[in-house]
Amino acid sequence: MRKADFENIELILSKQRPNRPTPFEFSIDFDIFDLMIDGASKDWNKWALAWEKLGFDFMVGWNYLPEFPRHEQEHGKTISLNDGALIDSWESFEKYPWPDVDKNDYSQLFDTKLPSGMKIIAHGPNGLLENVIGIIGYDNLCMMLYDNFELAEAVTDKVGKILYHHYERCLESDKVGACFINDDWGFAQQPMISPEFMRKLIVPRTAEIVELVHSAGRPALQHSCGNVFDCGLIEDVINACKFDGRHSYEDSTLPVEDAYDRYHDRLAIIGGIDVGFLCRASKQEIRDRSYAMLERAAADGAYALGSGNSIPSYVPRRSFFTMLSCATGLDYPEEV
């Protein structure tokens, strides 16, 4: 097992070469942690050791987040972006049970016994746009932007202030080495709302959170699915929000190889080995693409190897471990 060294993440996010090839994931199926260390998914101390055993320089935890209440949604392989909506008027805005960040338990960010050299990357309970959509409903928001923009703006302001305070609390812990601002901005072919409204509502408030993270001396990463490239919002990610790195790339939107060639001098490129590719490709194809991506970034850095989005349960373990070994050189269980 190699030792964690968060300096590699810091170097990548400052668009430099890491000390060694560096793996990166935002979300990994809990069963993989339990495979590495029994009970890791229920105990943060074991969880941290499992992240290290997998070869990472950091850990991401998931059960310390405040929640924005919604109506109960139907659960399935997909969910409706209109299910769960609770605000459709000023009256319902006033009655909405907004979460109180100061009543939330952040103790895991302070008390977890991290392996030497490891840091926590904190994140949000989804992001600004995702929570606004969850509270209002997607179709409802699209109509509200034209019919009652002041209400849409008020909801966005309220969510933004709560998220800002959430990150303030996260940054109180010196075990937090960086922050993810995780907020899906788009579908595969276009942003979820127009660039005009993104720049009025979402970009400025996101930039405030990034500035908060930077003022605390930590780097800020965006995790966002969707196409922000063709519409020009990638320039807002870089120039207005001033993110240090961006995570989540899809072959159907912009392959990571192209994203690296276009943007790595201004934005660290994180992950990008498409999840669909990981599900379908042979071990040799995964090795070839992973090593080629590491070689592409060998001179300039600003890259960490990982999936295009996450490692859910349906990604074959052998595929995940094959990709991971290209960065870490470690041997992993062959269990499928």
Side-chain angles (χ1 to χ4, degrees):
M1 183 172 69
R2 68 182 193 171
K3 294 296 183 181
D5 183 0
F6 194 76
E7 183 183 21
N8 289 294
I9 304 300
E10 293 172 327
L11 288 168
I12 289 167
L13 292 175
S14 30
K15 293 168 283 296
Q16 300 178 60
R17 293 173 58 189
N19 299 318
R20 50 172 165 70
T22 303
F24 200 106
E25 291 296 340
F26 177 36
S27 174
I28 301 173
D29 180 47
F30 283 171
D31 287 347
I32 292 175
F33 293 114
D34 287 334
L35 179 65
M36 305 306 292
I37 295 178
D38 185 48
S41 64
K42 298 179 177 65
D43 181 327
W44 272 56
N45 293 323
K46 290 183 178 180
W47 210 347
L49 293 173
W51 277 95
E52 184 189 35
K53 193 171 182 180
L54 284 166
F56 292 95
D57 298 309
F58 64 93
M59 71 167 292
V60 179
W62 289 91
N63 56 353
Y64 64 97
L65 303 170
E67 294 185 2
F68 289 87
R70 306 177 189 181
H71 281 308
E72 187 66 26
Q73 291 180 307
E74 291 188 17
H75 293 283
K77 293 181 179 179
T78 63
I79 61 172
S80 168
L81 290 177
N82 296 300
D83 268 0
L86 283 172
I87 294 179
D88 59 5
S89 65
W90 286 107
E91 181 181 6
S92 55
F93 173 80
E94 295 298 335
K95 292 180 178 179
Y96 183 80
W98 299 100
D100 185 345
V101 169
D102 289 323
K103 293 181 179 178
N104 197 55
D105 183 7
Y106 291 88
S107 60
Q108 302 282 22
L109 298 181
F110 295 84
D111 299 341
T112 300
K113 297 175 182 176
L114 296 175
S116 177
M118 179 177 279
K119 294 281 190 178
I120 297 169
I121 298 183
H123 61 97
N126 295 321
L128 182 56
L129 179 59
E130 283 186 282
N131 281 303
V132 169
I133 289 173
I135 292 168
I136 295 176
Y138 179 68
D139 291 352
N140 298 339
L141 174 63
C142 292
M143 298 296 291
M144 190 182 292
L145 291 173
Y146 292 93
D147 294 340
N148 194 347
F149 179 79
E150 292 78 12
L151 179 57
E153 187 175 40
V155 174
T156 306
D157 278 339
K158 186 69 174 181
V159 173
K161 288 175 182 176
I162 291 169
L163 290 176
Y164 188 95
H165 189 34
H166 163 73
Y167 283 102
E168 284 183 317
R169 294 293 310 277
C170 293
L171 290 163
E172 291 172 2
S173 171
D174 60 9
K175 294 183 179 182
V176 171
C179 288
F180 252 129
I181 288 80
N182 45 301
D183 194 16
D184 289 345
W185 280 12
F187 301 109
Q189 304 303 323
Q190 65 188 50
M192 299 191 79
I193 60 176
S194 73
E196 174 192 359
F197 284 118
M198 286 292 294
R199 291 174 180 133
K200 286 182 178 179
L201 292 177
I202 305 303
V203 170
R205 294 160 181 82
T206 301
E208 290 174 358
I209 295 174
V210 174
E211 184 178 6
L212 169 70
V213 177
H214 286 165
S215 69
R218 274 82 143 206
L221 302 85
Q222 183 186 47
H223 167 87
S224 179
C225 300
N227 191 339
V228 297
F229 308 103
D230 296 342
C231 65
L233 279 171
I234 186 63
E235 296 299 327
D236 297 87
V237 171
I238 297 169
N239 298 320
C241 296
K242 302 187 186 304
F243 277 107
D244 300 289
R246 184 182 186 277
H247 176 260
S248 197
Y249 298 90
E250 301 159 288
D251 288 350
S252 62
T253 299
L254 182 69
V256 66
E257 293 85 353
D258 295 339
Y260 185 83
D261 291 347
R262 291 186 196 180
Y263 304 115
H264 79 271
D265 58 334
R266 297 189 291 152
L267 184 72
I269 307 300
I270 309 299
I273 305 301
D274 187 85
V275 173
F277 173 83
L278 287 174
C279 289
R280 297 187 300 268
S282 68
K283 291 173 70 172
Q284 190 57 52
E285 288 171 328
I286 293 169
R287 286 192 196 97
D288 289 346
R289 187 174 185 183
S290 298
Y291 281 131
M293 195 59 227
L294 289 170
E295 179 61 28
R296 196 184 211 98
D300 293 341
Y303 179 72
L305 179 68
S307 72
N309 180 278
S310 60
I311 304 296
S313 59
Y314 56 80
V315 171
R317 289 178 183 172
R318 63 174 177 270
S319 299
F320 172 51
F321 290 148
T322 297
M323 176 187 65
L324 204 54
S325 67
C326 295
T328 67
L330 297 175
D331 293 324
Y332 298 96
E334 286 296 319
E335 185 176 335
V336 177

